[in-house]
């Protein structure tokens, strides 16, 4: 039995100028589960991810057709503010991108903007977020040091903590470990496993083992289309479509 | 926060954004209007003075009538002289900085030197020109001394523009040539420099515009209040447009009476300088659009 | 001559020619000092810098340039107060907000503004702004500090705007994306992320803009009014250092005390602008090497 569907895409087409990047994508994301999006480079998986919190708005000349529902509400409806959407749907990027500020200020950046002023509240939030991202023990004594001094893996966990500080409902992760070493990758994967108790996670990855390890559901994309969507176990052991099988068994260009 | 509070807080955040964007747009608009206003004002007051005679005759009646031909010629000579000095030296310096130099103390010193040279006030260039070219080298107040002074003044501009143009040439061009066994110098002179030529040219044109408009560096090194005859050699003093404006506007005995001449001269000077700059801007954007790489 | 030898010769020749810029800077320093230092046989350095009387043609002459220095500083600071907000806001508009077409036009406008000959701006301030100010505010003269500062601001704005714009443009896209993804508005992203990340470049821009203003000659010569006294109000006339040099050098007999004093004033001006430029250079390099530090 599946939980609530927190995010749903309905017949989504997406265009960069005249070029169609996504075709008729219909997909439901279950609450408090990890959904992985896999597929070869340029298949549209990252594009879809960036549609889910309207990050693609920042690129000129793009067009969306169809609906993307967040808690039943179309986030592309004219009266919806993308800023509010992004406050509730956090994102972690491929390359760690901490601000050139202190660790503390990285975490408090967004909460301050949304009105949290009290120093005590902020401090609590910093500790809580860093603990959730399993970074607290490593940085608790250097909160005022520049985030740029952290290692790549630490930076990425900081970025996760930064996103968590907004207490989002959904966390989008765009190949979050592709720039990291294996040890850091393992830490992040572990983290994803604990985070799903509280958050809904959508992760884009080109690493199929990673998808298999961390997710409950997997969608396979190819040339802008959702080829197959199912429970991860099913996708990786008994895919329903030939193209999926070719891809996960490595017989794919 | 309660839902109601959150809504009004979001409203406040957007209000703040609108106010900021408004002031940002306003300041850009004011700057554009400032340029437009100054140019329009000079056109409105100066166009009546511009006649064929004004452009082709020397001043007469102790500079209360007549034209500005000697000043145009003088500015032309000084500018040509300046670019003749600064262009070769600037391009060679840029080639060295962009193509040969490795990181190190020597390069660092050259870069600091060029940056500092760019920051030297124009009147200090004037003093230097006076002390070095006019007095020490005994060139006297002359086209030569003025051109050299202006040449040094625009040297950093030329170096900067040329270096940027060289850096914009794709590394693959160099690699392709070097891989064919072509020497470094030949690669630079046959491949890199020709590719960078439009950019270098743009820099040179901007340098010409800058040299044509400068006053302080030529005040003590080249410019004359009035010359009865056109210069015969590079050791003669010349009249120059910017200095002529200054003289008419501040030092004449008939300042009010010669106002139309002042406006006319100012109009000729900005038409010349902004025209030159505009050519450079148009050339640059044309090159960017046509860029094959 | 083998190709190898030729290559080495070319490289060294070019290195020497590139070094000429440094030599020229050295020559400038040398000749400023050569012509300027003799004044200190007549006055002490302290009297020269802090003396309040600038009467170079009196007998006995007085060579105190404090009024000149004060004049330079006050118009520079006021000009910066106008030019920094305008320059920075315009840079933000060009780099972050303007549509592509307006952006191109505005960049050209800034470049043309930078190209306006200073004598034309001085002329404009003299024949347009000065009479208007005098009449509107009922002043003894329109050639004063405020007028000069406004004209100098026009000269400094292009410098500040174009260098700031480069700095803003160079801010990695990553930072902006991170900020948007956290639910920041565009305004918040610009003010809290982009501008702080570009701060070293913006500081460089401001310093170079101020350096441009303090060294500018024709505007202060034509618009500042020329009073060599310490001003009591913003509508007083002043005689900034470049104005003094430019106005008096023509009349100062070669080799006289006045002549040397003007060169010495040139030294002061040169040292101030050199300090500005070295500081700007230091800031931009320091932050370049360390990457973006803590803000």
């Amino acid at each position: 039995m599946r939980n609530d569907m927190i995010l749903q895409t309905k017949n989504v087409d997406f265009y960069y100028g005249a070029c169609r990047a996504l075709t008729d994508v219909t997909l439901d994301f279950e609450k408090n589960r990890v959904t992985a999006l896999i597929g070869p480079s340029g298949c549209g998986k990252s594009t879809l991810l960036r549609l889910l919190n309207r990050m693609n708005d920042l690129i000129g000349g793009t067009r969306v057709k169809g609906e993307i529902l967040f808690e039943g509400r179309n986030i592309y409806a004219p009266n919806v503010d993308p800023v509010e959407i992004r406050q509730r749907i956090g994102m972690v990027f491929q390359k760690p991108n901490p601000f050139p500020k202190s660790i503390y200020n990285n975490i408090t950046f967004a909460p301050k903007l949304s009105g949290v002023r009290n120093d005590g509240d902020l401090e609590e939030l910093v500790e809580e977020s860093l603990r959730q991202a399993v970074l607290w023990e490593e940085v608790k004594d250097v909160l005022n040091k520049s985030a740029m001094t952290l290692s790549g893996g630490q930076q990425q966990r900081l970025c996760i903590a930064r996103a968590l500080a907004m207490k989002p409902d959904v966390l989008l992760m765009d190949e979050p470990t592709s720039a990291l070493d294996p040890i850091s990758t393992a830490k992040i994967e572990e983290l994803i496993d604990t985070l799903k108790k509280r958050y809904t996670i959508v992760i884009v990855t080109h690493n199929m083992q990673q998808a298999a390890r961390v997710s409950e559901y997997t969608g396979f994309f190819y040339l802008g289309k959702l080829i197959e969507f199912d429970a991860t176990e099913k996708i990786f052991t008994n895919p329903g479509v030939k193209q999926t099988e070719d891809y996960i068994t490595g017989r794919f260009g | 926060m309660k839902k109601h509070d959150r809504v009004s807080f979001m409203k406040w955040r957007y209000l703040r954004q609108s106010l900021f964007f408004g002031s940002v747009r306003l300041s850009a608009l004011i700057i554009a209007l400032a340029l437009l206003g100054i140019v329009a004002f000079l056109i409105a007051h100066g166009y009546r003075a511009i006649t064929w005679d004004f452009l082709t005759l020397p001043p007469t009646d102790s500079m209360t009538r007549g034209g500005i031909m000697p000043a145009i010629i003088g500015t032309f000579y000084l500018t040509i002289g300046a670019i003749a000095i600064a262009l070769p030296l600037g391009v060679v310096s840029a080639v060295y900085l962009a193509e040969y130099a490795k990181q190190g103390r020597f390069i660092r010193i050259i870069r600091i030197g060029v940056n500092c040279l760019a920051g030297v006030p124009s009147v200090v260039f004037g003093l230097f020109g006076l002390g070095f070219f006019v007095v020490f080298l005994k060139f006297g107040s002359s086209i030569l001394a003025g051109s050299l002074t202006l040449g040094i003044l625009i040297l950093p501009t030329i170096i900067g523009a040329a270096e940027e143009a060289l850096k914009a040439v794709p590394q693959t061009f160099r690699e392709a040539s070097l891989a064919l066994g072509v020497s470094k110098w030949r690669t630079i002179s046959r491949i890199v420099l020709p590719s960078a030529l439009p950019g270098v040219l743009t820099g040179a044109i901007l340098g010409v515009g800058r040299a044509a408009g400068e006053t302080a560096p030529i005040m003590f090194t080249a410019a004359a209040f009035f010359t009865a005859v056109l210069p015969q050699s590079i050791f003669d003093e010349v009249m120059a447009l910017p200095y002529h404006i200054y003289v008419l506007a501040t030092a004449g005995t008939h300042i009010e009476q010669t106002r139309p001449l002042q406006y006319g001269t100012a109009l000729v000077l900005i038409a010349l300088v902004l025209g030159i700059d505009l050519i450079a801007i148009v050339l640059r954007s044309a090159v960017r659009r046509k860029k094959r790489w | 001559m083998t190709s190898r030898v030729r290559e080495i010769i070319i490289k060294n020749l070019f290195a020497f020619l590139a070094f000429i810029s440094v030599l020229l800077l050295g020559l400038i320093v040398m000749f400023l000092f050569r012509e300027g230092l003799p004044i200190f046989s007549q006055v002490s350095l302290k009297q020269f810098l802090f003396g309040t009387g600038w009467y170079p043609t009196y007998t006995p002459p007085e060579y105190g340039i404090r009024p000149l220095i004060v004049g330079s500083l006050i118009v520079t600071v006021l000009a910066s107060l106008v030019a920094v907000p305008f320059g920075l806001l315009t840079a933000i508009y060009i780099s972050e907000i303007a549509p592509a077409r307006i952006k191109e036009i505005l960049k050209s406008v800034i470049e043309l503004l930078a190209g306006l000959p200073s004598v034309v701006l001085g002329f404009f301030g003299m024949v347009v702004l000065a009479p208007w100010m005098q009449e509107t505010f009922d002043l003894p003269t329109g050639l004063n500090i405020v007028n000069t500062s406004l004209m100098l601001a026009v000269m400094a704005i292009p410098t500040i705007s174009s260098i700031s714009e480069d700095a803003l443009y160079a801010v990695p896209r990553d930072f902006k994306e991170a900020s948007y993804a956290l639910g920041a508005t565009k305004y918040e992203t610009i003010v809290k992320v982009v501008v702080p990340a570009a701060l070293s470049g913006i500081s460089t821009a401001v310093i170079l803009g101020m350096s441009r203003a303090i060294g500018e000659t024709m505007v202060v010569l034509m618009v500042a009014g020329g009073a060599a006294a310490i001003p009591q109000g913003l509508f007083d006339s002043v005689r900034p250092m470049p104005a003094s040099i430019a106005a008096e050098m023509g009349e100062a007999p070669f080799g006289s005390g006045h002549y040397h004093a003007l060169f010495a004033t040139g030294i002061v001006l040169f040292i101030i602008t050199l300090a500005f430029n070295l500081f700007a250079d230091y800031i931009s390099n320091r932050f370049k090497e360390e990457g973006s530090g803590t803000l």
Side-chain angles (χ1 to χ4, degrees), chain C residues 111-139:
Chain C
E111 206 163 347
L112 290 177
L113 203 61
L116 268 189
S118 55
V119 69
V120 171
L121 273 176
F123 179 66
F124 187 83
M126 213 173 114
V127 302
V128 182
L129 213 52
W132 176 82
M133 265 186 155
Q134 189 173 4
E135 212 163 290
T136 315
F137 302 106
D138 194 24
L139 302 170

Side-chain angles (χ1 to χ4, degrees), chain A residues 81 83 87 113-114, chain B residues 1 9-10 13-14:
Chain A
D81 179 1
V83 169
Q87 289 175 358
L113 291 179
S114 59
Chain B
M1 243 191 275
F9 187 65
M10 273 320 281
R13 285 169 74 182
Y14 280 113

Side-chain angles (χ1 to χ4, degrees), chain A residues 92-93 96-98 103 107 129-139 150-165 171 173 176-177 180-181 183-192 195:
Chain A
V92 176
F93 296 80
N97 57 356
I103 293 167
I107 308 272
S129 312
L130 286 170
R131 278 194 193 283
Q132 282 187 55
V134 202
L135 188 60
W136 175 251
E137 291 302 324
E138 289 160 66
V139 300
L150 298 177
S151 75
Q154 288 174 322
Q155 286 188 7
Q156 193 62 305
R157 276 179 284 147
L158 175 66
C159 290
I160 293 172
R162 185 176 65 182
L164 298 180
L171 199 55
M173 303 179 122
T177 61
L180 303 181
D181 61 274
I183 295 170
S184 303
T185 301
K187 279 193 180 160
I188 303 257
E189 287 182 6
E190 232 172 84
L191 178 58
I192 292 171
L195 288 177

Side-chain angles (χ1 to χ4, degrees), chain A residues 50 55 58 83 86-87 91 93 95 97-102 105 109-110 113 146 148 162-163 166, chain C residues 173-186 188-189 192-193 196-197 292-295:
Chain A
R50 295 169 65 94
M55 282 302 278
L58 306 175
V83 169
R86 293 182 200 131
Q87 289 175 358
M91 187 165 205
F93 296 80
K95 208 178 117 218
N97 57 356
F99 298 121
K101 300 173 187 281
S102 67
N105 285 337
F109 172 81
L113 291 179
S146 169
M148 299 313 209
R162 185 176 65 182
M166 282 304 281
Chain C
R173 218 189 128 79
D174 297 356
F175 294 165
K176 292 184 213 175
E177 289 206 327
S179 173
Y180 285 124
L182 288 165
T185 62
K186 190 161 186 177
E188 289 154 355
T189 302
K192 305 255 156 94
V193 174
S292 337
T294 308
L295 293 166

Side-chain angles (χ1 to χ4, degrees), chain A residues 119-247:
Chain A
D119 279 347
D121 293 350
L122 286 170
E123 273 165 35
E124 227 169 80
L125 194 57
V126 168
E127 179 171 349
E128 189 193 334
S129 312
L130 286 170
R131 278 194 193 283
Q132 282 187 55
V134 202
L135 188 60
W136 175 251
E137 291 302 324
E138 289 160 66
V139 300
K140 64 181 178 195
D141 300 320
V142 292
L143 291 176
N144 287 318
K145 264 179 83 175
S146 169
M148 299 313 209
T149 60
L150 298 177
S151 75
Q154 288 174 322
Q155 286 188 7
Q156 193 62 305
R157 276 179 284 147
L158 175 66
C159 290
I160 293 172
R162 185 176 65 182
L164 298 180
M166 282 304 281
K167 304 202 184 338
D169 300 299
V170 180
L171 199 55
L172 308 176
M173 303 179 122
D174 188 0
E175 304 196 16
T177 61
S178 67
L180 303 181
D181 61 274
I183 295 170
S184 303
T185 301
K187 279 193 180 160
I188 303 257
E189 287 182 6
E190 232 172 84
L191 178 58
I192 292 171
D193 209 48
T194 54
L195 288 177
K196 74 178 176 202
K197 294 186 192 90
R198 295 174 60 173
Y199 306 92
T200 306
I201 293 174
V202 183
I203 178 170
V204 160
T205 175
H206 59 235
N207 178 336
M208 279 170 287
Q209 285 72 38
Q210 182 166 66
R213 281 193 299 264
V214 303
S215 70
E216 279 88 21
Y217 294 98
T218 297
F220 170 63
F221 283 77
Y222 183 56
L223 298 178
K225 287 183 186 143
L226 176 62
I227 305 296
E228 188 172 357
F229 179 79
D230 215 322
T232 299
E233 212 186 296
K234 168 108 182 1
I235 292 269
F236 280 92
T237 53
N238 187 16
V241 184
K242 175 91 171 37
Q243 277 165 312
T244 315
E245 190 181 351
D246 285 350
Y247 180 69

